Amino acid sequence: MIRNYLKIAWRNLIRNKTHTFINIAGLSVGLVCSLLILLWVQNELSTDAFFKNSSRLYSVYERQYYDHKVFGSYDTPGITADEMKKTLPEVEHAVNLGFGQNNTFQVGDRILKQEGTSAGPDYFSVFSFRLLQGSARSALSSPVSLAISHKMANVFFGSPEGAIGKTIRYENRKNFTITAVFEDLPKNSSQKFDYLVNWYNFLDENSWARQWGNQGPPTYIMLRADADPAKFEKKISHFLDTYSNVNRKTATFIIDLGIIRFDQRYLHGNFEGGKFSGGRIEYVRLFSIVAIFILLIACINFMNLTTARSVKRAREIGVRKVVGALRSSLIQQFISESLLVTSIAVIIALLLLVLLLPLFNQVTQKEISLPFNQLSFWLKLVGITLITGLVSGSYPALFLSSFNPVKVLKGATKVNSGSAIFRKGLVVFQFVLSVVLITGTIIISRQMNYIQSKNLGYDRENLIYVPLEGELLSKYDILKGEALRMSGIQSVSKISKSPTNFPSSTGAVEWPGRDENVTIQFTQVSVGYDFVNTMKLKVLSGRDFSKDYPTDSVGYLINEAALKRIGYKNPIGQPLTLFGKPGKIIGLLKDFHFNSLHEQIKPLIINAGERTEFGYMLIRTQPGKTREALASMEHLCKQINPSFPFTYNFSDEEYQKLYQNEQTIGKLSNGFAFLAVFISCLGLLGLAMFTAEQRVKEMGIRKVLGANVRSLFALLSSEFLMLVVIALFIASPIAWYAADKWLQSFAYRAPVQWWMFALSGALILLIAMATVSFQAAKAALINPIKSLRSE
């Protein structure tokens, strides 16, 4: 029986090649889109979900209460892990982790930069990365311990076995011993590093991290198997009170602790009001819905295109019913045709998937591979095939099998109004989704253009920063003097942090008249002379730091946001104390963006740091001479600092990295919006074909009575375009709501304007008109004699 169904189905497909091609094309495109999204979603959900004892692995986060607000953060004091392990019996292992660094290592004549960080002794007990050499217990047990990746071991020592126990030079100032070699981190790990140094090395270099009042390094813990996470979270809520000497009745700055499963941390990166407010999980949910809707659009096409051929198959159905075919057998026949078409579409979709996956990986910056060797992948694919085939074939099967054989054989095939409204509703639904996607794409593109063109308050073009390391620190004055004499270099300064990201903040700021009942967090950074000129900032009053004023060593620059919180009417010369160091304000700067546009400009205090023993050298190059300046700087740095490779960053490129997620989402939205419109137009074409089949005699009669081709064309096309207009009215508020919610993650955003919806509507109407015009023209131009003779 099944073999017979498939044979008949195949003959129908071959007999109607155009219809079959359109059907398979629509399903194939829908399926490949859905499969790409499915692979991306699986990759996102699998990130950090591969550790042993993953159910007991947690990340600690803070809820900070100050300035009458609540803020959430994964930053914690640098000694939290040791203290938790020591005092909380529920904690089996705990570890703090440092910040990502790009440090220089040397073995013999080989000198290379490597990405890495610092971690506590329990790191490999908490995170079950595979160790090729060494043990989890001893890998980071001493201040000179160093764990390196398989790749780094091969680069410096030829093999993991050759690396263990060997000495490697770090930053040309300290020797480490290789105590462990770990397998290269998997692609679905959110942590990226090729080396780990002992945590106490980090604490020695960052003494602030030993103080309970400072937050920065994240804390990770593994609970004992018998620990109750909910009870433990309640227990540690006030954990920091004892160490910070906080009286909750009078304190103006309070911190509560909480925990979240580590495999959820990657997806839940955003806080609002101290609570999790999304993050990448929002994109996972969004694109999961998009995948379902795109596949649903493709299924709707199949329904419309199949029912469009109902008149041509009416006699076949009537004859089969007369000779005894049951409705159930007809339904099985049409479902078989649907499953056959879907199976062919799946095969084509897999081929397209293989071709498109490299491009998709490039856009999403992933390394997704097709899991052909996994049984679960094939089971899911079979499931998708069956669901798609059943959903797309269900309505045509029920519709076609319901024909009355007597009426059909008399040529009185009519389609009731309920069926027509249902099919039109499907087309409207398709275009609602298409309009939402197109409008969303326009708004995302508008916001990204706004970010690119936004005046940040400084000029990020032709601005380079070079990490100060090795001899560049002790010989900074020589380096700066020589650099200023080079062709192509306009100005030089110094800064303790990247100019696109000032992460450090403090509440240790005092001034006369300060409200003791309110704690205000100020962002703080140290800079050298000529900072304002190099960054091209605007001074509203006062001046920049200058070597001509020795007292500038205790001077401060502040921005407008800081002045607003401090409250001085004329800030120049007014007292200000930072970290217990009293000084005076010497300059007021116009607000400029030193973090992502996701955040409001924060109160900023800048102190003199010409002698700071860390940070970056800021270089402003002359327009068109950046390459020349870089070549000169590389030669100079190699002369002064031969033990370190020359590295640099462009400020504008680093600024772009702040919006990688949004750029990726924008590119994906563009692609999926185009494909959704393409599939929707196939659905509109199906409806046009169906309508033309049903109204062929009507068109003949109208022509006999004197109707011209133009009026007939307008009559047919206006019906289809009205569906698109209805879709526009339904989709516009949905698109506005979705766009507004997405834009709320930006503190600075381009306004949503009416023309964005008008442009989306115009594009859809134009595309829809182009889609139906051929079919409408064909119906309007048909010879009335042929149309009146048609049966």
Side-chain angles (χ1 to χ4, degrees):
M1 181 69 73
I2 295 176
R3 182 180 178 183
N4 186 51
Y5 285 156
L6 293 175
K7 186 183 294 185
I8 295 172
W10 179 254
R11 287 173 180 170
N12 276 316
L13 297 182
I14 295 298
R15 189 180 304 119
N16 303 280
K17 294 183 177 62
T18 302
H19 168 268
T20 301
F21 173 78
I22 296 174
N23 247 339
I24 292 176
L27 280 175
S28 298
V29 172
L31 283 164
V32 77
C33 287
S34 299
L35 289 173
L36 283 171
I37 295 174
L38 174 64
L39 290 172
W40 181 81
V41 167
Q42 283 184 324
N43 182 272
E44 290 286 283
L45 294 177
S46 70
T47 299
D48 294 333
F50 53 85
F51 293 108
K52 295 178 182 177
N53 300 314
S54 182
S55 62
R56 297 195 283 134
L57 180 57
Y58 288 85
S59 177
V60 179
Y61 68 90
E62 292 188 351
R63 287 187 298 271
Q64 301 175 354
Y65 298 82
Y66 65 90
D67 200 14
H68 308 298
K69 298 177 183 177
V70 187
F71 302 88
S73 170
Y74 286 111
D75 299 339
T76 59
I79 47 180
T80 305
D82 285 346
E83 196 63 24
M84 279 189 161
K85 185 179 178 182
K86 186 192 304 180
T87 61
L88 299 171
E90 296 90 344
V91 177
E92 184 173 346
H93 299 291
V95 62
N96 280 110
L97 197 65
F99 312 119
Q101 296 174 297
N102 190 18
N103 293 118
T104 302
F105 289 87
Q106 180 177 3
V107 176
D109 295 332
R110 179 160 290 183
I111 303 173
L112 294 172
K113 288 278 188 183
Q114 298 290 314
E115 295 285 343
T117 187
S118 310
D122 276 3
Y123 183 82
F124 288 105
S125 298
V126 174
F127 298 103
S128 55
F129 291 119
R130 182 186 170 207
L131 290 178
L132 304 177
Q133 296 290 321
S135 67
R137 181 171 297 178
S138 62
L140 296 169
S141 59
S142 76
V144 294
S145 298
L146 180 71
I148 63 175
S149 68
H150 191 175
K151 180 178 69 175
M152 186 172 170
N154 287 341
V155 168
F156 283 103
F157 303 101
S159 68
E161 296 79 9
I164 201 73
K166 297 294 177 59
T167 299
I168 189 168
R169 187 75 172 165
Y170 171 80
E171 290 289 293
N172 199 34
R173 57 183 169 83
K174 188 173 183 178
N175 290 329
F176 282 102
T177 300
I178 310 297
T179 52
V181 179
F182 54 87
E183 187 58 89
D184 295 337
L185 302 190
K187 297 172 183 177
N188 57 343
S189 171
S190 64
Q191 301 180 45
K192 307 293 182 185
F193 54 81
D194 280 307
Y195 75 84
L196 290 173
V197 297
N198 180 273
W199 181 245
Y200 301 106
N201 182 74
F202 177 88
L203 293 179
D204 289 342
E205 294 182 353
N206 300 273
S207 57
W208 59 267
R210 295 182 181 274
Q211 301 172 12
W212 286 104
N214 295 327
Q215 285 77 34
T219 300
Y220 305 107
I221 59 174
M222 178 178 285
L223 297 180
R224 297 186 182 277
D226 58 349
D228 185 326
K231 290 181 180 178
F232 176 77
E233 182 173 30
K234 187 175 181 180
K235 179 178 179 179
I236 66 169
S237 178
H238 299 174
F239 180 78
L240 296 180
D241 289 3
T242 303
Y243 305 97
S244 302
N245 297 317
V246 170
N247 183 339
R248 287 186 168 254
K249 292 182 179 180
T250 59
T252 59
F253 184 87
I254 298 173
I255 298 177
D256 286 347
L257 295 185
I259 56 173
I260 182 175
R261 277 266 300 260
F262 179 72
D263 55 6
Q264 295 297 307
R265 185 187 192 276
Y266 170 78
L267 296 172
H268 299 82
N270 295 348
F271 292 89
E272 185 175 339
K275 298 179 181 179
F276 296 108
S277 64
R280 296 186 70 88
I281 188 65
E282 292 183 340
Y283 293 129
V284 168
R285 293 167 181 161
L286 172 64
F287 280 108
S288 296
I289 294 171
V290 169
I292 294 171
F293 281 161
I294 287 180
L295 191 56
L296 191 56
I297 288 173
C299 292
I300 290 171
N301 280 351
F302 185 94
M303 297 179 190
N304 277 333
L305 288 167
T306 302
T307 52
R309 293 184 59 249
S310 60
V311 175
K312 290 187 176 180
R313 298 196 66 178
R315 281 182 177 272
E316 171 197 341
I317 296 165
V319 170
R320 292 180 64 181
K321 279 195 170 185
V322 168
V323 298
L326 298 175
R327 187 180 183 187
S328 59
S329 64
L330 291 174
I331 290 174
Q332 291 174 18
Q333 172 63 49
F334 294 125
I335 291 291
S336 298
E337 289 185 19
S338 172
L339 288 173
L340 179 60
V341 171
T342 303
S343 299
I344 296 172
V346 167
I347 294 171
I348 295 173
L350 285 176
L351 295 175
L352 292 173
L353 193 62
V354 172
L355 295 174
L356 293 175
L357 193 57
L359 177 62
F360 185 76
N361 281 334
Q362 184 179 347
V363 170
T364 59
Q365 298 182 345
K366 294 277 190 180
E367 295 182 40
I368 301 172
S369 57
L370 289 171
F372 286 144
N373 59 339
Q374 296 180 14
L375 178 61
S376 60
F377 173 77
W378 292 107
L379 291 176
K380 290 176 183 177
L381 193 62
V382 170
I384 290 173
T385 304
L386 291 174
I387 292 172
T388 304
L390 291 173
V391 170
S392 59
S394 58
Y395 175 71
L398 293 172
F399 174 73
L400 295 175
S401 64
S402 66
F403 284 170
N404 186 310
V406 177
K407 292 182 179 180
V408 165
L409 294 176
K410 286 182 177 180
T413 306
K414 297 290 183 182
V415 180
N416 62 57
S417 59
S419 298
I421 292 173
F422 178 72
R423 277 189 300 279
K424 291 177 181 179
L426 293 179
V427 172
V428 169
F429 177 73
Q430 286 180 311
F431 275 92
V432 166
L433 297 178
S434 298
V435 170
V436 169
L437 283 173
I438 287 182
T439 307
T441 298
I442 292 172
I443 292 172
I444 290 173
S445 177
R446 169 80 169 172
Q447 177 64 16
M448 297 314 297
N449 289 335
Y450 173 81
I451 289 170
Q452 301 305 321
S453 59
K454 171 74 174 172
N455 181 4
L456 301 179
Y458 71 93
D459 185 1
R460 66 178 184 267
E461 300 294 329
N462 305 308
L463 183 63
I464 302 166
Y465 52 99
V466 177
L468 292 171
E469 50 193 355
E471 296 299 315
L472 297 183
L473 284 167
S474 59
K475 298 179 179 178
Y476 172 72
D477 289 340
I478 297 173
L479 176 68
K480 180 178 180 180
E482 291 294 325
L484 287 172
R485 284 191 283 271
M486 292 177 177
S487 174
I489 294 180
Q490 197 174 85
S491 60
V492 174
S493 186
K494 189 179 186 180
I495 189 170
S496 60
K497 302 294 181 183
S498 160
T500 57
N501 183 24
F502 292 178
S504 302
S505 62
T506 179
V509 182
E510 300 289 339
W511 66 91
R514 176 180 174 271
D515 186 352
E516 298 296 332
N517 296 319
V518 178
T519 296
I520 303 171
Q521 290 288 308
F522 291 82
T523 300
Q524 180 271 329
V525 69
S526 302
V527 303
Y529 299 134
D530 303 315
F531 172 71
V532 171
N533 181 47
T534 303
M535 289 284 289
K536 292 191 176 181
L537 301 173
K538 184 175 182 180
V539 180
L540 298 179
S541 61
R543 58 176 175 80
D544 191 7
F545 296 113
S546 172
K547 59 184 177 181
D548 297 330
Y549 296 87
T551 56
D552 279 2
S553 60
V554 290
Y556 299 107
L557 301 174
I558 64 172
N559 67 349
E560 293 174 285
L563 177 62
K564 184 177 180 180
R565 300 312 307 269
I566 293 171
Y568 287 142
K569 291 185 178 180
N570 183 12
I572 306 305
Q574 297 293 336
L576 188 70
T577 300
L578 176 67
F579 298 132
K581 183 179 178 181
K584 293 186 177 181
I585 299 172
I586 66 167
L588 173 64
L589 302 177
K590 184 176 178 59
D591 279 342
F592 66 97
H593 292 274
F594 45 83
N595 283 322
S596 163
L597 294 185
H598 290 283
E599 305 176 27
Q600 290 280 355
I601 295 177
K602 299 176 181 177
L604 173 67
I605 298 177
I606 303 174
N607 63 293
E610 186 75 7
R611 302 301 172 195
T612 302
E613 289 293 318
F614 60 90
Y616 301 89
M617 182 180 187
L618 281 174
I619 302 172
R620 170 74 62 186
T621 63
Q622 295 174 359
K625 294 188 177 181
T626 300
R627 183 174 298 179
E628 178 185 348
L630 282 173
S632 301
M633 281 301 303
E634 182 175 10
H635 180 71
L636 176 61
C637 289
K638 285 183 177 179
Q639 284 184 327
I640 297 176
N641 201 34
S643 298
F644 290 79
F646 175 69
T647 57
Y648 59 90
N649 299 89
F650 289 104
S651 178
D652 54 349
E653 290 181 356
E654 294 304 304
Y655 176 75
Q656 298 294 333
K657 292 179 182 178
L658 296 174
Y659 310 100
Q660 283 183 344
N661 286 345
E662 289 76 14
Q663 290 170 351
T664 298
I665 295 306
K667 292 175 183 177
L668 290 178
S669 298
N670 289 340
F672 292 139
F674 170 78
L675 294 174
V677 171
F678 170 76
I679 301 171
S680 296
C681 287
L682 289 180
L684 191 62
L685 177 62
L687 185 64
M689 291 170 60
F690 179 81
T691 303
E693 291 279 0
Q694 291 293 308
R695 302 180 67 177
V696 63
K697 285 192 175 183
E698 176 192 341
M699 294 299 105
I701 293 171
R702 286 179 179 274
K703 291 192 78 172
V704 169
L705 295 175
N708 57 35
V709 173
R710 182 181 299 177
S711 63
L712 294 177
F713 177 83
L715 178 67
L716 286 171
S717 59
S718 62
E719 179 181 341
F720 307 131
L721 295 181
M722 182 56 66
L723 299 178
V724 179
V725 171
I726 294 171
L728 285 173
F729 279 103
I730 296 173
S732 294
I734 298 173
W736 179 86
Y737 173 79
D740 183 69
K741 188 173 182 180
W742 179 76
L743 286 171
Q744 285 177 7
S745 65
F746 292 89
Y748 302 90
R749 50 186 178 264
V752 178
Q753 298 176 321
W754 67 269
W755 64 262
M756 300 176 183
F757 300 94
L759 177 60
S760 175
L763 286 172
I764 285 290
L765 285 171
L766 187 63
I767 294 169
M769 188 65 186
T771 302
V772 303
S773 58
F774 173 76
Q775 195 65 33
K778 180 180 176 183
L781 291 170
I782 192 170
N783 190 317
I785 297 175
K786 292 182 178 180
S787 63
L788 292 173
R789 286 178 177 176
S790 65
E791 298 180 0

